[in-house]
PDB file of all heavy atoms in Angstrom:
ATOM      1  N   SER A 236      -5.019 -38.331  33.734  1.00 97.00           N
ATOM      2  CA  SER A 236      -5.292 -38.148  35.165  1.00 97.00           C
ATOM      3  C   SER A 236      -4.422 -37.022  35.770  1.00 97.00           C
ATOM      4  O   SER A 236      -3.863 -37.173  36.862  1.00 97.00           O
ATOM      5  CB  SER A 236      -5.051 -39.438  35.945  1.00 97.00           C
ATOM      6  OG  SER A 236      -5.798 -40.470  35.362  1.00 97.00           O
ATOM      7  N   LEU A 237      -4.266 -35.938  35.024  1.00 98.00           N
ATOM      8  CA  LEU A 237      -3.527 -34.772  35.498  1.00 98.00           C
ATOM      9  C   LEU A 237      -4.410 -33.545  35.477  1.00 98.00           C
ATOM     10  O   LEU A 237      -5.421 -33.525  34.765  1.00 98.00           O
ATOM     11  CB  LEU A 237      -2.320 -34.516  34.573  1.00 98.00           C
ATOM     12  CG  LEU A 237      -1.210 -35.596  34.579  1.00 98.00           C
ATOM     13  CD1 LEU A 237      -0.264 -35.393  33.393  1.00 98.00           C
ATOM     14  CD2 LEU A 237      -0.398 -35.503  35.874  1.00 98.00           C
ATOM     15  N   SER A 238      -4.038 -32.537  36.260  1.00 97.00           N
ATOM     16  CA  SER A 238      -4.790 -31.282  36.248  1.00 97.00           C
ATOM     17  C   SER A 238      -3.867 -30.175  35.787  1.00 97.00           C
ATOM     18  O   SER A 238      -2.619 -30.339  35.787  1.00 97.00           O
ATOM     19  CB  SER A 238      -5.315 -30.962  37.638  1.00 97.00           C
ATOM     20  OG  SER A 238      -4.283 -30.485  38.427  1.00 97.00           O
ATOM     21  N   PRO A 239      -4.376 -29.004  35.350  1.00 98.00           N
ATOM     22  CA  PRO A 239      -3.507 -27.924  34.868  1.00 98.00           C
ATOM     23  C   PRO A 239      -2.431 -27.550  35.892  1.00 98.00           C
ATOM     24  O   PRO A 239      -1.311 -27.201  35.500  1.00 98.00           O
ATOM     25  CB  PRO A 239      -4.471 -26.776  34.653  1.00 98.00           C
ATOM     26  CG  PRO A 239      -5.788 -27.432  34.318  1.00 98.00           C
ATOM     27  CD  PRO A 239      -5.816 -28.684  35.153  1.00 98.00           C
ATOM     28  N   ALA A 240      -2.701 -27.668  37.183  1.00 97.00           N
ATOM     29  CA  ALA A 240      -1.727 -27.280  38.214  1.00 97.00           C
ATOM     30  C   ALA A 240      -0.542 -28.259  38.251  1.00 97.00           C
ATOM     31  O   ALA A 240       0.521 -27.922  38.802  1.00 97.00           O
ATOM     32  CB  ALA A 240      -2.424 -27.218  39.580  1.00 97.00           C
ATOM     33  N   ASP A 241      -0.725 -29.468  37.718  1.00 97.00           N
ATOM     34  CA  ASP A 241       0.349 -30.473  37.743  1.00 97.00           C
ATOM     35  C   ASP A 241       1.447 -30.186  36.719  1.00 97.00           C
ATOM     36  O   ASP A 241       2.490 -30.848  36.693  1.00 97.00           O
ATOM     37  CB  ASP A 241      -0.190 -31.887  37.476  1.00 97.00           C
ATOM     38  CG  ASP A 241      -1.163 -32.316  38.549  1.00 97.00           C
ATOM     39  OD1 ASP A 241      -0.914 -31.996  39.716  1.00 97.00           O
ATOM     40  OD2 ASP A 241      -2.130 -32.995  38.198  1.00 97.00           O
ATOM     41  N   VAL A 242       1.189 -29.254  35.816  1.00 98.00           N
ATOM     42  CA  VAL A 242       2.109 -29.012  34.693  1.00 98.00           C
ATOM     43  C   VAL A 242       3.160 -27.955  35.079  1.00 98.00           C
ATOM     44  O   VAL A 242       2.807 -26.887  35.578  1.00 98.00           O
ATOM     45  CB  VAL A 242       1.321 -28.547  33.450  1.00 98.00           C
ATOM     46  CG1 VAL A 242       2.249 -28.228  32.288  1.00 98.00           C
ATOM     47  CG2 VAL A 242       0.298 -29.609  33.055  1.00 98.00           C
ATOM     48  N   ASP A 243       4.441 -28.302  34.876  1.00 98.00           N
ATOM     49  CA  ASP A 243       5.508 -27.361  35.245  1.00 98.00           C
ATOM     50  C   ASP A 243       5.626 -26.250  34.210  1.00 98.00           C
ATOM     51  O   ASP A 243       5.789 -25.083  34.576  1.00 98.00           O
ATOM     52  CB  ASP A 243       6.854 -28.104  35.332  1.00 98.00           C
ATOM     53  CG  ASP A 243       6.820 -29.121  36.486  1.00 98.00           C
ATOM     54  OD1 ASP A 243       6.689 -28.684  37.611  1.00 98.00           O
ATOM     55  OD2 ASP A 243       6.873 -30.328  36.190  1.00 98.00           O
ATOM     56  N   LEU A 244       5.590 -26.584  32.915  1.00 98.00           N
ATOM     57  CA  LEU A 244       5.743 -25.551  31.876  1.00 98.00           C
ATOM     58  C   LEU A 244       4.797 -25.848  30.720  1.00 98.00           C
ATOM     59  O   LEU A 244       4.643 -27.006  30.293  1.00 98.00           O
ATOM     60  CB  LEU A 244       7.174 -25.543  31.339  1.00 98.00           C
ATOM     61  CG  LEU A 244       8.257 -24.924  32.225  1.00 98.00           C
ATOM     62  CD1 LEU A 244       9.618 -25.045  31.540  1.00 98.00           C
ATOM     63  CD2 LEU A 244       7.960 -23.490  32.610  1.00 98.00           C
ATOM     64  N   TYR A 245       4.180 -24.802  30.207  1.00 98.00           N
ATOM     65  CA  TYR A 245       3.329 -24.876  29.020  1.00 98.00           C
ATOM     66  C   TYR A 245       4.081 -24.245  27.856  1.00 98.00           C
ATOM     67  O   TYR A 245       4.319 -23.022  27.857  1.00 98.00           O
ATOM     68  CB  TYR A 245       2.059 -24.080  29.245  1.00 98.00           C
ATOM     69  CG  TYR A 245       1.062 -24.760  30.200  1.00 98.00           C
ATOM     70  CD1 TYR A 245       1.187 -24.591  31.602  1.00 98.00           C
ATOM     71  CD2 TYR A 245       0.045 -25.540  29.725  1.00 98.00           C
ATOM     72  CE1 TYR A 245       0.302 -25.177  32.453  1.00 98.00           C
ATOM     73  CE2 TYR A 245      -0.857 -26.164  30.558  1.00 98.00           C
ATOM     74  CZ  TYR A 245      -0.724 -25.974  31.935  1.00 98.00           C
ATOM     75  OH  TYR A 245      -1.605 -26.565  32.787  1.00 98.00           O
ATOM     76  N   VAL A 246       4.472 -25.089  26.899  1.00 98.00           N
ATOM     77  CA  VAL A 246       5.203 -24.592  25.739  1.00 98.00           C
ATOM     78  C   VAL A 246       4.187 -24.458  24.598  1.00 98.00           C
ATOM     79  O   VAL A 246       3.919 -25.429  23.887  1.00 98.00           O
ATOM     80  CB  VAL A 246       6.381 -25.542  25.381  1.00 98.00           C
ATOM     81  CG1 VAL A 246       7.164 -25.015  24.198  1.00 98.00           C
ATOM     82  CG2 VAL A 246       7.272 -25.749  26.590  1.00 98.00           C
ATOM     83  N   LEU A 247       3.646 -23.270  24.474  1.00 97.00           N
ATOM     84  CA  LEU A 247       2.551 -23.066  23.514  1.00 97.00           C
ATOM     85  C   LEU A 247       3.063 -22.424  22.213  1.00 97.00           C
ATOM     86  O   LEU A 247       4.074 -21.718  22.199  1.00 97.00           O
ATOM     87  CB  LEU A 247       1.497 -22.098  24.093  1.00 97.00           C
ATOM     88  CG  LEU A 247       0.824 -22.505  25.405  1.00 97.00           C
ATOM     89  CD1 LEU A 247      -0.388 -21.602  25.650  1.00 97.00           C
ATOM     90  CD2 LEU A 247       0.423 -23.949  25.421  1.00 97.00           C
TER      91      LEU A 247
END
Side-chain angles (χ1 to χ4, degrees):
S236 307
L237 293 165
S238 77
D241 297 324
V242 177
D243 296 295
L244 287 178
Y245 287 85
V246 182
L247 302 192

